[in-house]
Structures are given as structure tokens and as C-alpha cells.
Amino acid sequence: MHERLLFLLRGLGFLDERRSIRALSSDIGSAKKMPTPLTLRVEEGIVQGTTFDSGRLKHITIGRTRTNRFQIKDETISQKHMSVDWVDDAWAAQDLGSSNGTTVNGVSIGVKTPYRLYNDDLLRIGVDTRIRVIFHDGSGSRKLESVKEEGDQNAQEEEEDLAGQGENVKNDAMEERIEQEVVVSTSRAARRRPTTSKKAKPVSQSTEMTLRDWFRQEMVRVPTILHERAEATIREMEIHAEQLRQSYVHLQC
């Protein structure tokens, strides 16, 4: 694809013949991965007012020595104190094992653990050096991102509540239908009973058992049966144990 594009551009006279395909391909690839330009502005500290523009950089080290991209001559700042890196299409700050640590908006960040940055974040390094992070495109701040995340979370919770309410309504309707079917079945069974010499009494509403009543009855009856069977089993085990003990005593004699 790139070769066809180069051939067309050369034919139109837009490209120098000496420019290689590899060079242009590199430019095209790097253009897609360009980080958002930012400015680091020192708002407090001995170099207050100093700024640093990222340009095309993706890795910016900040420290006391000249080997850093952004040098701040402050004895309370480590030689290589921290870095600001373009990671996964976003800027992130990380401490490089400094003596006095690094904070973002008052939150201490871990050593060599990327911490995502947003527009207008405030970095603190050393004792009193504070650096403001400014995105050139003015992209969203941390507050806006927090409001968005909170809104998404609330919307998800509302959907889950509605789904839960729908499920409860469905379960209630099913339970009511089962109860009605049990009542109808009980009434039909009562009507089908063979008649005796005495006149059969009509089935009253009080004698009809609903599904809820049956559940309550079984909750009382089943534990009672299990308790009785457990006691019977224990008694049998005690009798068997006594027989074994007597047999052992007899053998000893």
C-alpha cells in the first residue's frame, strides 16, 4: 500500500526520488502514534515559572542532574526522581525510587508504577516543588472523568435494579399461578371424591391448601422426621456399642 502511494506521489512530483520507502513508512507510522503534547509548568519551588514542553517525546525524566530531560536543581529532589511517559495512548507518571517520593494531587504513587495523568493534575516532588500538567488539546480533567465514571456506574446500577425488579415480578407471578393451580387441583379432587350415604359437604375456602401453606407445613414436618430418625439411629448405635463392650469383657474373662 505504501509503495503504491509513494509511486503516485513521485509521479506527481511531490516526493524526492532520494527519499526511501522505509523513511516515509516510518513517518507515517510515527504520525499515528504521536502523543498528546503537554507542558510541565513549575508553580512552586526554587525554579518557579519554569516550563517544559514535551514536543514529540514519549519519555520525560525529571530530576536534579543534567541527564534528565527536565532538570530541576533542588537538593530535595533525587538525581532521577520521576518520569512522565506516554503509555497505552495516555500520559502516566511514575516514581523512579526517589528519596522524598512523588504525589499526584496529593496521592502518593508507587515506584515504577504508572499512574495516569489528566489535564490540570498537580505533581509534587522534593519538599516544595509543584508541577502543573497542561495538555495542549485541553482534553478532559480528572474531575470530568470521575463524573463520567460515576454516571456510567449509576446507569449500570439502575439497569441492574430494573432487571432485579423484573425478575421479582416474574417470580411473584409464577408463584401466584402455581398457587392458583394447586387450589384448582384441590377443589377438583374434592369434587371427584365418591359420595357416601351422607350428603357431601361443599369444599370451603378454609380447607383448600395453597403452595405457601404446603411449604410451611413441610418445613415443620421434615425436620421433625429427621430428628426422630437421628435419635433412633443413635439408640441403635448405643445398643450395638454396649453389645460389643460386653463381648469384649467376656473374652477377657
Side-chain angles (χ1 to χ4, degrees):
M1 181 64 183
H2 290 167
E3 293 179 358
R4 294 180 181 179
L5 179 61
L6 288 171
F7 180 79
L8 179 61
L9 293 176
R10 286 197 185 100
L12 296 175
F14 289 111
L15 289 179
D16 187 352
E17 289 291 341
R18 291 173 296 179
R19 190 169 187 182
S20 65
I21 296 176
R22 180 176 299 177
L24 184 60
S25 299
S26 176
D27 291 344
I28 294 173
S30 62
K32 295 180 180 179
K33 301 177 182 178
M34 283 292 294
T36 302
L38 63 78
T39 295
L40 301 175
R41 185 179 65 203
V42 181
E43 295 191 346
E44 295 183 23
I46 60 176
V47 292
Q48 182 178 356
T50 304
T51 61
F52 178 87
D53 292 329
S54 63
R56 298 167 61 95
L57 296 174
K58 297 182 180 180
H59 177 66
I60 305 169
T61 56
I62 304 174
R64 193 176 68 247
T65 60
R66 294 181 179 179
T67 57
N68 296 280
R69 289 286 186 177
F70 189 14
Q71 180 187 13
I72 301 178
K73 295 181 179 181
D74 186 341
E75 293 300 324
T76 63
I77 296 176
S78 299
Q79 294 183 4
K80 279 193 176 294
H81 195 103
M82 65 165 297
S83 66
V84 177
D85 305 285
W86 182 255
V87 181
D88 297 331
D89 296 331
W91 285 107
Q94 61 178 338
D95 188 87
L96 300 179
S98 64
S99 301
N100 294 319
T102 304
T103 65
V104 179
N105 300 327
V107 178
S108 179
I109 64 176
V111 176
K112 295 185 179 180
T113 303
Y115 187 91
R116 183 171 180 178
L117 294 175
Y118 292 89
N119 186 39
D120 204 40
D121 278 350
L122 186 64
L123 309 175
R124 184 197 63 77
I125 60 176
V127 174
D128 56 1
T129 299
R130 285 165 174 77
I131 305 172
R132 182 72 63 181
V133 178
I134 303 172
F135 291 169
H136 291 188
D137 61 0
S139 54
S141 64
R142 187 176 299 274
K143 293 181 179 180
L144 294 177
E145 291 294 330
S146 300
V147 170
K148 181 181 177 182
E149 291 177 359
E150 184 178 356
D152 295 341
Q153 183 177 0
N154 292 337
Q156 183 178 359
E157 291 177 355
E158 290 179 359
E159 292 179 358
E160 292 176 354
D161 291 340
L162 291 174
Q165 293 176 5
E167 189 67 22
N168 292 334
V169 171
K170 182 179 179 181
N171 292 337
D172 292 342
M174 183 178 294
E175 183 177 351
E176 183 178 357
R177 181 178 177 183
I178 293 173
E179 290 180 358
Q180 293 176 355
E181 291 179 355
V182 171
V183 171
V184 172
S185 300
T186 306
S187 301
R188 290 177 179 175
R191 287 196 297 268
R192 291 175 182 175
R193 290 174 184 171
T195 59
T196 59
S197 58
K198 296 182 180 181
K199 186 177 180 180
K201 296 181 180 180
V203 179
S204 62
Q205 185 68 23
S206 61
T207 61
E208 297 174 351
M209 178 180 293
T210 64
L211 180 62
R212 185 178 285 105
D213 295 334
W214 179 80
F215 278 140
R216 292 173 180 172
Q217 175 183 311
E218 292 300 306
M219 288 176 65
V220 175
R221 188 179 66 86
V222 172
T224 303
I225 295 174
L226 294 176
H227 181 70
E228 293 176 352
R229 291 183 179 178
E231 288 184 345
T233 302
I234 293 173
R235 285 196 297 270
E236 291 179 0
M237 293 176 66
E238 290 176 348
I239 294 172
H240 186 62
E242 181 63 22
Q243 292 176 352
L244 290 175
R245 188 185 67 80
Q246 293 178 2
S247 299
Y248 179 75
V249 172
H250 180 70
L251 289 174
Q252 291 294 329
C253 294

